[in-house]
Amino acid sequence: MVACALIDVDGRVLVARRPEGRPMAGLWEFPGGKVRPGESPEAALVRELGEELGIRTRESCLAPLTFASHAYPDFHLLMPLYVCRVFEGTPRPREGQELRWVRAAELAQLPMPPADRPLVAMLRDLLS
């Protein structure tokens, strides 16, 4: 898994709400997804952002920020979080998710998966 804090020109972060029928439905998360075999995390994010949001970016526009390490009941997640400020297009929900641009300080008020929670403080520090 890999995730991205997409940041707009106003310093807001894009979050996506997981749709009904999916694990952790209703929770807000950073866009991203699975890394395919043989794929780098950066290449996976470029692909996932295109598939999920219809935007284009390049690997060189992704900066590693931190990572999440969380033990779920059936697996352990180690997920890098990248920051992206340079992208083309307007993010649109392409997989049934709801999208919202929020200030970093607002992230703490959103219900998020346990693995995403620790990432909020790092983003708040970066953007304040």
Side-chain angles (χ1 to χ4, degrees), residues 99-122:
L99 301 178
R100 183 186 298 177
W101 290 102
V102 298
R103 298 269 173 220
E106 297 173 72
L107 288 169
Q109 269 71 90
L110 296 175
M112 299 181 96
D116 288 47
R117 278 261 149 245
L119 305 173
V120 170
M122 294 293 293

mmCIF file with all atom_site columns, all heavy atoms in Angstrom, residues 99-122:
data_model
loop_
_atom_site.group_PDB
_atom_site.id
_atom_site.type_symbol
_atom_site.label_atom_id
_atom_site.label_alt_id
_atom_site.label_comp_id
_atom_site.label_asym_id
_atom_site.label_entity_id
_atom_site.label_seq_id
_atom_site.pdbx_PDB_ins_code
_atom_site.Cartn_x
_atom_site.Cartn_y
_atom_site.Cartn_z
_atom_site.occupancy
_atom_site.B_iso_or_equiv
_atom_site.pdbx_formal_charge
_atom_site.auth_seq_id
_atom_site.auth_comp_id
_atom_site.auth_asym_id
_atom_site.auth_atom_id
_atom_site.pdbx_PDB_model_num
ATOM 1   N N   . LEU A 1 99  ? -14.980 13.084 -2.097 1.00 0.00 ? 99  LEU A N   1
ATOM 2   C CA  . LEU A 1 99  ? -13.720 13.811 -1.927 1.00 0.00 ? 99  LEU A CA  1
ATOM 3   C C   . LEU A 1 99  ? -13.961 15.097 -1.168 1.00 0.00 ? 99  LEU A C   1
ATOM 4   O O   . LEU A 1 99  ? -15.027 15.701 -1.287 1.00 0.00 ? 99  LEU A O   1
ATOM 5   C CB  . LEU A 1 99  ? -13.099 14.152 -3.284 1.00 0.00 ? 99  LEU A CB  1
ATOM 6   C CG  . LEU A 1 99  ? -12.778 12.996 -4.219 1.00 0.00 ? 99  LEU A CG  1
ATOM 7   C CD1 . LEU A 1 99  ? -12.204 13.529 -5.529 1.00 0.00 ? 99  LEU A CD1 1
ATOM 8   C CD2 . LEU A 1 99  ? -11.820 12.013 -3.568 1.00 0.00 ? 99  LEU A CD2 1
ATOM 9   N N   . ARG A 1 100 ? -12.932 15.505 -0.412 1.00 0.00 ? 100 ARG A N   1
ATOM 10  C CA  . ARG A 1 100 ? -13.028 16.760 0.329  1.00 0.00 ? 100 ARG A CA  1
ATOM 11  C C   . ARG A 1 100 ? -11.627 17.347 0.493  1.00 0.00 ? 100 ARG A C   1
ATOM 12  O O   . ARG A 1 100 ? -10.682 16.637 0.831  1.00 0.00 ? 100 ARG A O   1
ATOM 13  C CB  . ARG A 1 100 ? -13.642 16.494 1.705  1.00 0.00 ? 100 ARG A CB  1
ATOM 14  C CG  . ARG A 1 100 ? -13.851 17.764 2.525  1.00 0.00 ? 100 ARG A CG  1
ATOM 15  C CD  . ARG A 1 100 ? -14.327 17.481 3.938  1.00 0.00 ? 100 ARG A CD  1
ATOM 16  N NE  . ARG A 1 100 ? -15.617 16.817 3.955  1.00 0.00 ? 100 ARG A NE  1
ATOM 17  C CZ  . ARG A 1 100 ? -16.213 16.407 5.063  1.00 0.00 ? 100 ARG A CZ  1
ATOM 18  N NH1 . ARG A 1 100 ? -15.631 16.583 6.238  1.00 0.00 ? 100 ARG A NH1 1
ATOM 19  N NH2 . ARG A 1 100 ? -17.382 15.818 5.023  1.00 0.00 ? 100 ARG A NH2 1
ATOM 20  N N   . TRP A 1 101 ? -11.494 18.660 0.247  1.00 0.00 ? 101 TRP A N   1
ATOM 21  C CA  . TRP A 1 101 ? -10.255 19.389 0.532  1.00 0.00 ? 101 TRP A CA  1
ATOM 22  C C   . TRP A 1 101 ? -10.384 19.950 1.941  1.00 0.00 ? 101 TRP A C   1
ATOM 23  O O   . TRP A 1 101 ? -11.372 20.620 2.241  1.00 0.00 ? 101 TRP A O   1
ATOM 24  C CB  . TRP A 1 101 ? -10.056 20.537 -0.453 1.00 0.00 ? 101 TRP A CB  1
ATOM 25  C CG  . TRP A 1 101 ? -9.722  20.110 -1.847 1.00 0.00 ? 101 TRP A CG  1
ATOM 26  C CD1 . TRP A 1 101 ? -10.571 20.061 -2.910 1.00 0.00 ? 101 TRP A CD1 1
ATOM 27  C CD2 . TRP A 1 101 ? -8.442  19.701 -2.344 1.00 0.00 ? 101 TRP A CD2 1
ATOM 28  N NE1 . TRP A 1 101 ? -9.896  19.639 -4.026 1.00 0.00 ? 101 TRP A NE1 1
ATOM 29  C CE2 . TRP A 1 101 ? -8.589  19.413 -3.708 1.00 0.00 ? 101 TRP A CE2 1
ATOM 30  C CE3 . TRP A 1 101 ? -7.189  19.545 -1.755 1.00 0.00 ? 101 TRP A CE3 1
ATOM 31  C CZ2 . TRP A 1 101 ? -7.525  18.985 -4.502 1.00 0.00 ? 101 TRP A CZ2 1
ATOM 32  C CZ3 . TRP A 1 101 ? -6.131  19.106 -2.540 1.00 0.00 ? 101 TRP A CZ3 1
ATOM 33  C CH2 . TRP A 1 101 ? -6.311  18.840 -3.897 1.00 0.00 ? 101 TRP A CH2 1
ATOM 34  N N   . VAL A 1 102 ? -9.401  19.671 2.796  1.00 0.00 ? 102 VAL A N   1
ATOM 35  C CA  . VAL A 1 102 ? -9.457  20.136 4.183  1.00 0.00 ? 102 VAL A CA  1
ATOM 36  C C   . VAL A 1 102 ? -8.117  20.740 4.601  1.00 0.00 ? 102 VAL A C   1
ATOM 37  O O   . VAL A 1 102 ? -7.065  20.396 4.061  1.00 0.00 ? 102 VAL A O   1
ATOM 38  C CB  . VAL A 1 102 ? -9.837  19.000 5.162  1.00 0.00 ? 102 VAL A CB  1
ATOM 39  C CG1 . VAL A 1 102 ? -11.217 18.452 4.859  1.00 0.00 ? 102 VAL A CG1 1
ATOM 40  C CG2 . VAL A 1 102 ? -8.813  17.894 5.143  1.00 0.00 ? 102 VAL A CG2 1
ATOM 41  N N   . ARG A 1 103 ? -8.175  21.615 5.579  1.00 0.00 ? 103 ARG A N   1
ATOM 42  C CA  . ARG A 1 103 ? -6.957  22.141 6.195  1.00 0.00 ? 103 ARG A CA  1
ATOM 43  C C   . ARG A 1 103 ? -6.339  21.037 7.059  1.00 0.00 ? 103 ARG A C   1
ATOM 44  O O   . ARG A 1 103 ? -7.060  20.185 7.601  1.00 0.00 ? 103 ARG A O   1
ATOM 45  C CB  . ARG A 1 103 ? -7.280  23.357 7.067  1.00 0.00 ? 103 ARG A CB  1
ATOM 46  C CG  . ARG A 1 103 ? -7.874  24.498 6.286  1.00 0.00 ? 103 ARG A CG  1
ATOM 47  C CD  . ARG A 1 103 ? -6.781  25.411 5.809  1.00 0.00 ? 103 ARG A CD  1
ATOM 48  N NE  . ARG A 1 103 ? -7.342  26.414 4.922  1.00 0.00 ? 103 ARG A NE  1
ATOM 49  C CZ  . ARG A 1 103 ? -6.749  26.817 3.826  1.00 0.00 ? 103 ARG A CZ  1
ATOM 50  N NH1 . ARG A 1 103 ? -5.574  26.333 3.477  1.00 0.00 ? 103 ARG A NH1 1
ATOM 51  N NH2 . ARG A 1 103 ? -7.306  27.725 3.059  1.00 0.00 ? 103 ARG A NH2 1
ATOM 52  N N   . ALA A 1 104 ? -5.031  21.085 7.210  1.00 0.00 ? 104 ALA A N   1
ATOM 53  C CA  . ALA A 1 104 ? -4.349  20.050 7.995  1.00 0.00 ? 104 ALA A CA  1
ATOM 54  C C   . ALA A 1 104 ? -4.910  19.973 9.415  1.00 0.00 ? 104 ALA A C   1
ATOM 55  O O   . ALA A 1 104 ? -5.053  18.887 9.977  1.00 0.00 ? 104 ALA A O   1
ATOM 56  C CB  . ALA A 1 104 ? -2.855  20.314 8.016  1.00 0.00 ? 104 ALA A CB  1
ATOM 57  N N   . ALA A 1 105 ? -5.253  21.121 9.998  1.00 0.00 ? 105 ALA A N   1
ATOM 58  C CA  . ALA A 1 105 ? -5.793  21.135 11.364 1.00 0.00 ? 105 ALA A CA  1
ATOM 59  C C   . ALA A 1 105 ? -7.143  20.427 11.450 1.00 0.00 ? 105 ALA A C   1
ATOM 60  O O   . ALA A 1 105 ? -7.518  19.929 12.518 1.00 0.00 ? 105 ALA A O   1
ATOM 61  C CB  . ALA A 1 105 ? -5.929  22.571 11.853 1.00 0.00 ? 105 ALA A CB  1
ATOM 62  N N   . GLU A 1 106 ? -7.891  20.364 10.345 1.00 0.00 ? 106 GLU A N   1
ATOM 63  C CA  . GLU A 1 106 ? -9.208  19.713 10.325 1.00 0.00 ? 106 GLU A CA  1
ATOM 64  C C   . GLU A 1 106 ? -9.111  18.191 10.244 1.00 0.00 ? 106 GLU A C   1
ATOM 65  O O   . GLU A 1 106 ? -10.077 17.495 10.556 1.00 0.00 ? 106 GLU A O   1
ATOM 66  C CB  . GLU A 1 106 ? -10.027 20.211 9.142  1.00 0.00 ? 106 GLU A CB  1
ATOM 67  C CG  . GLU A 1 106 ? -10.355 21.687 9.162  1.00 0.00 ? 106 GLU A CG  1
ATOM 68  C CD  . GLU A 1 106 ? -11.015 22.119 7.859  1.00 0.00 ? 106 GLU A CD  1
ATOM 69  O OE1 . GLU A 1 106 ? -12.191 21.749 7.655  1.00 0.00 ? 106 GLU A OE1 1
ATOM 70  O OE2 . GLU A 1 106 ? -10.347 22.780 7.054  1.00 0.00 ? 106 GLU A OE2 1
ATOM 71  N N   . LEU A 1 107 ? -7.968  17.672 9.814  1.00 0.00 ? 107 LEU A N   1
ATOM 72  C CA  . LEU A 1 107 ? -7.823  16.225 9.633  1.00 0.00 ? 107 LEU A CA  1
ATOM 73  C C   . LEU A 1 107 ? -8.086  15.458 10.923 1.00 0.00 ? 107 LEU A C   1
ATOM 74  O O   . LEU A 1 107 ? -8.648  14.366 10.894 1.00 0.00 ? 107 LEU A O   1
ATOM 75  C CB  . LEU A 1 107 ? -6.430  15.887 9.104  1.00 0.00 ? 107 LEU A CB  1
ATOM 76  C CG  . LEU A 1 107 ? -6.147  16.253 7.650  1.00 0.00 ? 107 LEU A CG  1
ATOM 77  C CD1 . LEU A 1 107 ? -4.666  16.098 7.350  1.00 0.00 ? 107 LEU A CD1 1
ATOM 78  C CD2 . LEU A 1 107 ? -6.989  15.414 6.711  1.00 0.00 ? 107 LEU A CD2 1
ATOM 79  N N   . ALA A 1 108 ? -7.684  16.015 12.040 1.00 0.00 ? 108 ALA A N   1
ATOM 80  C CA  . ALA A 1 108 ? -7.850  15.329 13.326 1.00 0.00 ? 108 ALA A CA  1
ATOM 81  C C   . ALA A 1 108 ? -9.315  15.101 13.688 1.00 0.00 ? 108 ALA A C   1
ATOM 82  O O   . ALA A 1 108 ? -9.621  14.218 14.490 1.00 0.00 ? 108 ALA A O   1
ATOM 83  C CB  . ALA A 1 108 ? -7.153  16.117 14.431 1.00 0.00 ? 108 ALA A CB  1
ATOM 84  N N   . GLN A 1 109 ? -10.228 15.883 13.110 1.00 0.00 ? 109 GLN A N   1
ATOM 85  C CA  . GLN A 1 109 ? -11.648 15.739 13.417 1.00 0.00 ? 109 GLN A CA  1
ATOM 86  C C   . GLN A 1 109 ? -12.347 14.688 12.551 1.00 0.00 ? 109 GLN A C   1
ATOM 87  O O   . GLN A 1 109 ? -13.488 14.325 12.821 1.00 0.00 ? 109 GLN A O   1
ATOM 88  C CB  . GLN A 1 109 ? -12.375 17.069 13.224 1.00 0.00 ? 109 GLN A CB  1
ATOM 89  C CG  . GLN A 1 109 ? -12.412 17.907 14.485 1.00 0.00 ? 109 GLN A CG  1
ATOM 90  C CD  . GLN A 1 109 ? -11.048 18.495 14.860 1.00 0.00 ? 109 GLN A CD  1
ATOM 91  O OE1 . GLN A 1 109 ? -10.776 19.491 14.457 1.00 0.00 ? 109 GLN A OE1 1
ATOM 92  N NE2 . GLN A 1 109 ? -10.225 17.899 15.643 1.00 0.00 ? 109 GLN A NE2 1
ATOM 93  N N   . LEU A 1 110 ? -11.688 14.222 11.509 1.00 0.00 ? 110 LEU A N   1
ATOM 94  C CA  . LEU A 1 110 ? -12.308 13.254 10.605 1.00 0.00 ? 110 LEU A CA  1
ATOM 95  C C   . LEU A 1 110 ? -12.103 11.824 11.091 1.00 0.00 ? 110 LEU A C   1
ATOM 96  O O   . LEU A 1 110 ? -11.019 11.485 11.575 1.00 0.00 ? 110 LEU A O   1
ATOM 97  C CB  . LEU A 1 110 ? -11.703 13.383 9.203  1.00 0.00 ? 110 LEU A CB  1
ATOM 98  C CG  . LEU A 1 110 ? -11.930 14.690 8.468  1.00 0.00 ? 110 LEU A CG  1
ATOM 99  C CD1 . LEU A 1 110 ? -11.157 14.693 7.152  1.00 0.00 ? 110 LEU A CD1 1
ATOM 100 C CD2 . LEU A 1 110 ? -13.408 14.930 8.222  1.00 0.00 ? 110 LEU A CD2 1
ATOM 101 N N   . PRO A 1 111 ? -13.137 10.986 10.971 1.00 0.00 ? 111 PRO A N   1
ATOM 102 C CA  . PRO A 1 111 ? -12.923 9.569  11.282 1.00 0.00 ? 111 PRO A CA  1
ATOM 103 C C   . PRO A 1 111 ? -12.039 8.951  10.199 1.00 0.00 ? 111 PRO A C   1
ATOM 104 O O   . PRO A 1 111 ? -12.342 9.061  9.009  1.00 0.00 ? 111 PRO A O   1
ATOM 105 C CB  . PRO A 1 111 ? -14.337 8.982  11.273 1.00 0.00 ? 111 PRO A CB  1
ATOM 106 C CG  . PRO A 1 111 ? -15.159 9.922  10.463 1.00 0.00 ? 111 PRO A CG  1
ATOM 107 C CD  . PRO A 1 111 ? -14.515 11.273 10.572 1.00 0.00 ? 111 PRO A CD  1
ATOM 108 N N   . MET A 1 112 ? -10.916 8.369  10.609 1.00 0.00 ? 112 MET A N   1
ATOM 109 C CA  . MET A 1 112 ? -9.941  7.810  9.668  1.00 0.00 ? 112 MET A CA  1
ATOM 110 C C   . MET A 1 112 ? -9.557  6.404  10.095 1.00 0.00 ? 112 MET A C   1
ATOM 111 O O   . MET A 1 112 ? -9.678  6.055  11.274 1.00 0.00 ? 112 MET A O   1
ATOM 112 C CB  . MET A 1 112 ? -8.685  8.683  9.625  1.00 0.00 ? 112 MET A CB  1
ATOM 113 C CG  . MET A 1 112 ? -8.921  10.106 9.178  1.00 0.00 ? 112 MET A CG  1
ATOM 114 S SD  . MET A 1 112 ? -7.389  11.066 9.137  1.00 0.00 ? 112 MET A SD  1
ATOM 115 C CE  . MET A 1 112 ? -7.008  10.881 7.398  1.00 0.00 ? 112 MET A CE  1
ATOM 116 N N   . PRO A 1 113 ? -9.041  5.594  9.152  1.00 0.00 ? 113 PRO A N   1
ATOM 117 C CA  . PRO A 1 113 ? -8.526  4.279  9.542  1.00 0.00 ? 113 PRO A CA  1
ATOM 118 C C   . PRO A 1 113 ? -7.378  4.435  10.545 1.00 0.00 ? 113 PRO A C   1
ATOM 119 O O   . PRO A 1 113 ? -6.658  5.444  10.515 1.00 0.00 ? 113 PRO A O   1
ATOM 120 C CB  . PRO A 1 113 ? -8.010  3.692  8.223  1.00 0.00 ? 113 PRO A CB  1
ATOM 121 C CG  . PRO A 1 113 ? -8.744  4.435  7.155  1.00 0.00 ? 113 PRO A CG  1
ATOM 122 C CD  . PRO A 1 113 ? -8.967  5.819  7.711  1.00 0.00 ? 113 PRO A CD  1
ATOM 123 N N   . PRO A 1 114 ? -7.191  3.469  11.429 1.00 0.00 ? 114 PRO A N   1
ATOM 124 C CA  . PRO A 1 114 ? -6.144  3.578  12.453 1.00 0.00 ? 114 PRO A CA  1
ATOM 125 C C   . PRO A 1 114 ? -4.750  3.834  11.871 1.00 0.00 ? 114 PRO A C   1
ATOM 126 O O   . PRO A 1 114 ? -3.965  4.560  12.467 1.00 0.00 ? 114 PRO A O   1
ATOM 127 C CB  . PRO A 1 114 ? -6.200  2.226  13.168 1.00 0.00 ? 114 PRO A CB  1
ATOM 128 C CG  . PRO A 1 114 ? -7.540  1.674  12.885 1.00 0.00 ? 114 PRO A CG  1
ATOM 129 C CD  . PRO A 1 114 ? -7.973  2.246  11.564 1.00 0.00 ? 114 PRO A CD  1
ATOM 130 N N   . ALA A 1 115 ? -4.439  3.281  10.719 1.00 0.00 ? 115 ALA A N   1
ATOM 131 C CA  . ALA A 1 115 ? -3.113  3.470  10.128 1.00 0.00 ? 115 ALA A CA  1
ATOM 132 C C   . ALA A 1 115 ? -2.895  4.906  9.664  1.00 0.00 ? 115 ALA A C   1
ATOM 133 O O   . ALA A 1 115 ? -1.767  5.389  9.635  1.00 0.00 ? 115 ALA A O   1
ATOM 134 C CB  . ALA A 1 115 ? -2.912  2.509  8.960  1.00 0.00 ? 115 ALA A CB  1
ATOM 135 N N   . ASP A 1 116 ? -3.957  5.598  9.284  1.00 0.00 ? 116 ASP A N   1
ATOM 136 C CA  . ASP A 1 116 ? -3.834  6.972  8.785  1.00 0.00 ? 116 ASP A CA  1
ATOM 137 C C   . ASP A 1 116 ? -3.696  7.995  9.914  1.00 0.00 ? 116 ASP A C   1
ATOM 138 O O   . ASP A 1 116 ? -3.138  9.069  9.696  1.00 0.00 ? 116 ASP A O   1
ATOM 139 C CB  . ASP A 1 116 ? -5.052  7.331  7.933  1.00 0.00 ? 116 ASP A CB  1
ATOM 140 C CG  . ASP A 1 116 ? -5.068  6.623  6.595  1.00 0.00 ? 116 ASP A CG  1
ATOM 141 O OD1 . ASP A 1 116 ? -4.846  5.395  6.551  1.00 0.00 ? 116 ASP A OD1 1
ATOM 142 O OD2 . ASP A 1 116 ? -5.300  7.289  5.597  1.00 0.00 ? 116 ASP A OD2 1
ATOM 143 N N   . ARG A 1 117 ? -4.221  7.687  11.084 1.00 0.00 ? 117 ARG A N   1
ATOM 144 C CA  . ARG A 1 117 ? -4.224  8.637  12.210 1.00 0.00 ? 117 ARG A CA  1
ATOM 145 C C   . ARG A 1 117 ? -2.849  9.240  12.505 1.00 0.00 ? 117 ARG A C   1
ATOM 146 O O   . ARG A 1 117 ? -2.718  10.441 12.634 1.00 0.00 ? 117 ARG A O   1
ATOM 147 C CB  . ARG A 1 117 ? -4.731  7.954  13.476 1.00 0.00 ? 117 ARG A CB  1
ATOM 148 C CG  . ARG A 1 117 ? -6.198  7.881  13.554 1.00 0.00 ? 117 ARG A CG  1
ATOM 149 C CD  . ARG A 1 117 ? -6.745  8.996  14.440 1.00 0.00 ? 117 ARG A CD  1
ATOM 150 N NE  . ARG A 1 117 ? -8.043  9.325  13.900 1.00 0.00 ? 117 ARG A NE  1
ATOM 151 C CZ  . ARG A 1 117 ? -8.374  10.487 13.359 1.00 0.00 ? 117 ARG A CZ  1
ATOM 152 N NH1 . ARG A 1 117 ? -7.535  11.469 13.328 1.00 0.00 ? 117 ARG A NH1 1
ATOM 153 N NH2 . ARG A 1 117 ? -9.550  10.699 12.870 1.00 0.00 ? 117 ARG A NH2 1
ATOM 154 N N   . PRO A 1 118 ? -1.784  8.425  12.643 1.00 0.00 ? 118 PRO A N   1
ATOM 155 C CA  . PRO A 1 118 ? -0.480  9.004  12.989 1.00 0.00 ? 118 PRO A CA  1
ATOM 156 C C   . PRO A 1 118 ? 0.085   9.936  11.904 1.00 0.00 ? 118 PRO A C   1
ATOM 157 O O   . PRO A 1 118 ? 0.947   10.754 12.192 1.00 0.00 ? 118 PRO A O   1
ATOM 158 C CB  . PRO A 1 118 ? 0.429   7.779  13.167 1.00 0.00 ? 118 PRO A CB  1
ATOM 159 C CG  . PRO A 1 118 ? -0.483  6.622  13.341 1.00 0.00 ? 118 PRO A CG  1
ATOM 160 C CD  . PRO A 1 118 ? -1.751  6.966  12.639 1.00 0.00 ? 118 PRO A CD  1
ATOM 161 N N   . LEU A 1 119 ? -0.394  9.813  10.699 1.00 0.00 ? 119 LEU A N   1
ATOM 162 C CA  . LEU A 1 119 ? 0.107   10.634 9.595  1.00 0.00 ? 119 LEU A CA  1
ATOM 163 C C   . LEU A 1 119 ? -0.366  12.082 9.703  1.00 0.00 ? 119 LEU A C   1
ATOM 164 O O   . LEU A 1 119 ? 0.260   12.995 9.168  1.00 0.00 ? 119 LEU A O   1
ATOM 165 C CB  . LEU A 1 119 ? -0.337  10.043 8.255  1.00 0.00 ? 119 LEU A CB  1
ATOM 166 C CG  . LEU A 1 119 ? 0.041   8.582  8.018  1.00 0.00 ? 119 LEU A CG  1
ATOM 167 C CD1 . LEU A 1 119 ? -0.597  8.083  6.732  1.00 0.00 ? 119 LEU A CD1 1
ATOM 168 C CD2 . LEU A 1 119 ? 1.538   8.392  8.003  1.00 0.00 ? 119 LEU A CD2 1
ATOM 169 N N   . VAL A 1 120 ? -1.468  12.282 10.399 1.00 0.00 ? 120 VAL A N   1
ATOM 170 C CA  . VAL A 1 120 ? -2.081  13.609 10.518 1.00 0.00 ? 120 VAL A CA  1
ATOM 171 C C   . VAL A 1 120 ? -1.137  14.606 11.175 1.00 0.00 ? 120 VAL A C   1
ATOM 172 O O   . VAL A 1 120 ? -0.985  15.736 10.697 1.00 0.00 ? 120 VAL A O   1
ATOM 173 C CB  . VAL A 1 120 ? -3.430  13.516 11.273 1.00 0.00 ? 120 VAL A CB  1
ATOM 174 C CG1 . VAL A 1 120 ? -3.960  14.889 11.622 1.00 0.00 ? 120 VAL A CG1 1
ATOM 175 C CG2 . VAL A 1 120 ? -4.446  12.724 10.446 1.00 0.00 ? 120 VAL A CG2 1
ATOM 176 N N   . ALA A 1 121 ? -0.472  14.225 12.245 1.00 0.00 ? 121 ALA A N   1
ATOM 177 C CA  . ALA A 1 121 ? 0.430   15.138 12.949 1.00 0.00 ? 121 ALA A CA  1
ATOM 178 C C   . ALA A 1 121 ? 1.584   15.579 12.061 1.00 0.00 ? 121 ALA A C   1
ATOM 179 O O   . ALA A 1 121 ? 1.992   16.741 12.069 1.00 0.00 ? 121 ALA A O   1
ATOM 180 C CB  . ALA A 1 121 ? 0.954   14.490 14.223 1.00 0.00 ? 121 ALA A CB  1
ATOM 181 N N   . MET A 1 122 ? 2.108   14.657 11.274 1.00 0.00 ? 122 MET A N   1
ATOM 182 C CA  . MET A 1 122 ? 3.206   14.992 10.368 1.00 0.00 ? 122 MET A CA  1
ATOM 183 C C   . MET A 1 122 ? 2.750   16.020 9.328  1.00 0.00 ? 122 MET A C   1
ATOM 184 O O   . MET A 1 122 ? 3.475   16.966 9.016  1.00 0.00 ? 122 MET A O   1
ATOM 185 C CB  . MET A 1 122 ? 3.735   13.735 9.673  1.00 0.00 ? 122 MET A CB  1
ATOM 186 C CG  . MET A 1 122 ? 4.383   12.763 10.617 1.00 0.00 ? 122 MET A CG  1
ATOM 187 S SD  . MET A 1 122 ? 5.911   13.370 11.351 1.00 0.00 ? 122 MET A SD  1
ATOM 188 C CE  . MET A 1 122 ? 6.972   13.431 9.953  1.00 0.00 ? 122 MET A CE  1
#
